[in-house]
Amino acid sequence: MSLSQTIHRNWFSNIRADILAGIVVALALIPEAIGFSIIAGVDPKVGLYASVVIAIVISFAGGRPAMISAATAATAVLFGTLVREHGLQYLLAATILAGVIQIGLGWLRIGSVMRFVSRSVMTGFVNALAILIFMAQLPELIGVTWQSYVMIALGLAIIYLFPRLTRAVPSPLICILVLTGIALAFGVDTRTVADLGALPNALPVLLFPNVPLTLETLQIILPTSIAVAAVGLLESLLTASIVDGMTDTKSDKNRESIGQGIANIASGFFGGMGGCAMIGQSTINVRSGGRTRLSTFTAGVFLLFLLMVLGEWVGLIPMPALVAIMIMVSIGTFSWSSLRDLAHHPRRSSLVMLATVITVVGTHNLALGVGVGVLLSGLFFAWKVSQVFRVSSDLAGPGERHYAVEGQLFFASAEEFLEAFDFAEPLQRVRIDLTRAHIWDLTGVNAVDQAVLKFRRVNVVVEVIGMNGASATIMDKFAQHDRPDAIAKVLGH
């Protein structure tokens, strides 16, 4: 494919839908960015500037077209302590360092680790985010006027019913326009965007964080930078996988990692906080028709336009309109089929999904929840593989026994491997056949060492045969049983 064709496909193959989708996303980003700034303990403009810069930069540098990146709650919560103890300038420095770390991880091809995240973990991650998105709307659902509830209900009706008339314009955009018009025309008593905080009225300025360039500064910001880099990449790569599924297209996870780093560095230099991909806004974008990089670019540019030119009008948007959109995102994000699947999916898969959801919702820590899910998946997989393992034996002649090993020999099956041998049986010769086995790790190597040396200690001749190439390689490199003093080193006596 030529360069011009690639540019057309990634930028201009879906112009009208991308622009409209980007406008909807930009409107939805404003209350989110303000809220995340409050979480981090900084002025609203820090989150808004971050959303503008990150969205624009990632549209060029990212590896997943149509995915929205901006300031997020996942990264905002990590800045709170740093801001309270050291101030805004250290947040900016930590954001830049986090970006550098992400570029390094992308260069190391960190995107390849996504293949270790099971489908159950992905489902749990999606469901947990859907719950968190809904929970984030509770302040606008509790203790508000009755008019607010009516406006939210009307907004949801517009979002779900308007597409039956036409899909030419995204229904969330119609929701915002109609509810804003009603609020202005009838003076509806409800909170507006302006009630969340003052919107900036000046362009972000390129600056260098006012912190001393010392080792002490590095020690202060490094823990936060590592956490932001890790959590940001995790959420970004998982969101990229979700958007892949929604659009039936592939993304470049390693390019996305580097792109997130570049975007965060740019955000820090323009006075913004760190951010990452946003599943809620990405879902809004895709469901509104966004498919190319133009939609992400439009979101960033139009957000800047809203702040600089239409700030007063944006402040008039009623919060029920945006709450209705986020409720739609929450409902659409949640995998409702996973509830039905609990009855007939393997119990271990369901447990992984539920553990991921409970951990994320309980701690509001996406990295911890996904980590728990991946750990459980790994443990269950290791247990399952270890069950498909057996050792059989037969007498091949007087004083000679053959052992045939079948399955995967690693840390979870090593104990069963050793228990299969009768070291007290009076024999002159033993043959261990590994033709149908595979040795995976040092525990497996050590198990073979122990079996061989326990026989040799009672003067039994042992022959190990049938190893495949990979097993032979790891045995040649790490096995001890043919080395001097092997009995003392391996068996300890």
Side-chain angles (χ1 to χ4, degrees), residues 130-139 330 361 364:
I131 294 170
L132 291 180
I133 290 170
F134 182 81
M135 290 174 62
Q137 312 313 310
L138 292 180
S330 176
V361 174
H364 287 223

Side-chain angles (χ1 to χ4, degrees), residues 389 391 403 405 408-421 423 430 432 434 437-456 462 464 467 474-475 478-481 486 489-491:
F389 181 86
V391 180
Y403 288 91
V405 184
Q408 314 304 312
L409 181 53
F410 65 119
F411 64 87
S413 58
E415 184 176 353
E416 183 179 351
F417 171 79
L418 288 171
E419 290 175 350
F421 297 100
F423 300 106
V430 164
I432 302 175
L434 297 175
H438 187 98
I439 302 172
W440 285 99
D441 60 6
L442 292 179
T443 306
V445 172
N446 182 259
V448 176
D449 277 340
Q450 289 192 56
V452 171
L453 293 172
K454 284 183 178 182
F455 279 121
R456 286 181 180 172
V462 183
V464 180
M467 286 188 290
I474 194 172
M475 286 294 293
F478 298 109
Q480 300 285 328
H481 59 261
K489 290 181 180 178
V490 177
L491 302 182

Side-chain angles (χ1 to χ4, degrees), residues 30 52 110 115 125 218 267 273 289 297 330 344 393 468 487:
I30 293 175
V52 169
I110 191 67
R115 66 178 183 270
F125 171 80
L218 179 62
S267 177
M273 60 196 289
F297 179 78
S330 176
H344 55 83
S393 69
N468 58 34
I487 292 178

